[in-house]
Amino acid sequence: MHPLALLLLLSLCMAGASFKICAFNMQGFGEAKAGDAQLMGLLVKILARCDISAVQEVRDAKGDAVLTLLTELNRYQALYAQLGSRRLGRGTYKEQIVFIYRVKAPIRFGEAGDFARGPFAARFHAPSTGRSPLTHRAPRNAVHEIDRLYGLCRELTQRWGTQNVMVLGDLNAGGAYVPPSAWGSIRLRWEPSFHWLIGDTANTTVRARTHCAYDRIVVQGDEMLGAVVPGSAKPYNFARSLGLSEEEVSAGEAPHCPGKEG
């Protein structure tokens, strides 16, 4: 796992329609990976499963790699568009968070907070935009950063006037980063309006040597919870599904992929 993982916030308009959402850590996606035809074919198959994909660790300064991915995705299964954050991070290492979504879902978006490398908030509802800064620190700060997401969710609730907020992505919410003794200090965990859809015993990695629930999906409010198909929030082991070997997974460097259907 990359030492500076990203978080995502997604606020959904409850429209009554059924759709699939996933978060996918692409671990340094840029021009090199975009030029690998075999890898791109796998990425397209993964992303085409979902109506909204929250893609993490995009290192694409020019924006060409994401456009290439979008072109290939639309050639495979139209119609998709993308919305990316500004390049986030301190120092020379910069990454983006990119929402890839079917165009039937218009959006509002923004960034918020003062993390070191950030979550990116998008509201799939109305075609207007807004911005403010947002970031996330190293895995060793996972307990503190996950707790701070509680306040960020409250901010989104007030700003956008909706309780229907989803947090998804690589939270480093497992293994040594969040020991069992630490959960009591994380408000996002024990505040009753938040519901954790991927449990502590889940494995959100696809490598044989790891078994950790780093990636999570958390929804706020009973309306949002009621919109989730029971049992649909779970990791998607793309390696097993696509018949990839451990060596192929390591070469692709994309070990995280929780998903939600609802």
Side-chain angles (χ1 to χ4, degrees):
M1 185 178 65
H2 193 278
L4 289 172
L6 304 178
L7 307 181
L8 298 174
L9 286 176
L10 179 63
S11 174
L12 301 175
C13 173
M14 307 302 290
S18 177
F19 54 91
K20 298 179 182 179
I21 304 170
C22 76
F24 186 57
N25 188 334
M26 294 177 67
Q27 296 216 326
F29 179 75
E31 292 182 9
K33 289 189 175 182
D36 185 330
Q38 183 177 6
L39 177 60
M40 289 290 280
L42 293 173
L43 293 177
V44 163
K45 289 180 180 179
I46 292 170
L47 297 177
R49 296 176 61 253
C50 298
D51 297 284
I52 303 171
S53 297
V55 177
Q56 302 157 88
E57 289 200 27
V58 174
R59 298 200 66 196
D60 181 22
K62 297 179 181 178
D64 294 340
V66 171
L67 290 179
T68 298
L69 176 61
L70 198 64
T71 298
E72 293 300 316
L73 182 59
N74 280 321
R75 183 177 292 129
Y76 181 80
Q77 186 179 107
L79 296 161
Y80 282 89
Q82 62 91 16
L83 170 68
S85 71
R86 61 185 174 87
R87 299 182 71 221
L88 304 168
R90 295 174 179 171
T92 59
Y93 190 91
K94 304 289 185 180
E95 296 174 358
Q96 286 177 288
I97 299 169
V98 178
F99 285 109
I100 294 179
Y101 61 96
R102 296 189 195 276
V103 292
K104 65 183 179 182
I107 44 108
R108 295 175 57 186
F109 69 98
E111 301 165 29
D114 61 348
F115 303 72
R117 177 167 300 146
F120 183 51
R123 183 178 184 183
F124 285 76
H125 176 44
S128 60
T129 61
R131 298 176 183 266
S132 62
L134 199 94
T135 48
H136 174 56
R137 295 195 178 94
R140 65 179 178 275
N141 297 311
V143 172
H144 175 64
E145 298 293 357
I146 297 170
D147 177 65
R148 290 182 62 200
L149 286 173
Y150 172 85
L152 199 53
C153 288
R154 293 306 192 201
E155 180 183 336
L156 283 179
T157 295
Q158 294 177 0
R159 180 184 302 179
W160 286 343
T162 177
Q163 293 287 328
N164 301 321
V165 176
M166 176 184 292
V167 181
L168 74 164
D170 184 1
L171 274 64
N172 294 309
Y177 300 130
V178 183
S181 60
W183 286 113
S185 65
I186 297 175
R187 289 170 294 174
L188 195 73
R189 178 59 170 255
W190 53 257
E191 213 284 338
S193 65
F194 292 92
H195 308 280
W196 289 60
L197 304 184
I198 295 181
D200 297 342
T201 60
N203 182 17
T204 67
T205 73
V206 294
R207 289 176 178 157
R209 67 178 181 272
T210 57
H211 188 111
C212 293
Y214 292 133
D215 309 74
R216 301 299 184 103
I217 298 175
V218 184
V219 297
Q220 178 182 355
D222 293 337
E223 183 182 14
M224 191 69 153
L225 181 64
V228 178
V229 175
S232 65
K234 53 190 174 183
Y236 168 58
N237 191 318
F238 64 88
R240 183 184 302 125
S241 178
L242 299 176
L244 302 178
S245 67
E246 182 80 5
E247 291 74 20
E248 289 172 316
V249 170
S250 297
E253 295 183 357
H256 304 268
C257 191
K260 170 195 171 292
E261 301 178 7

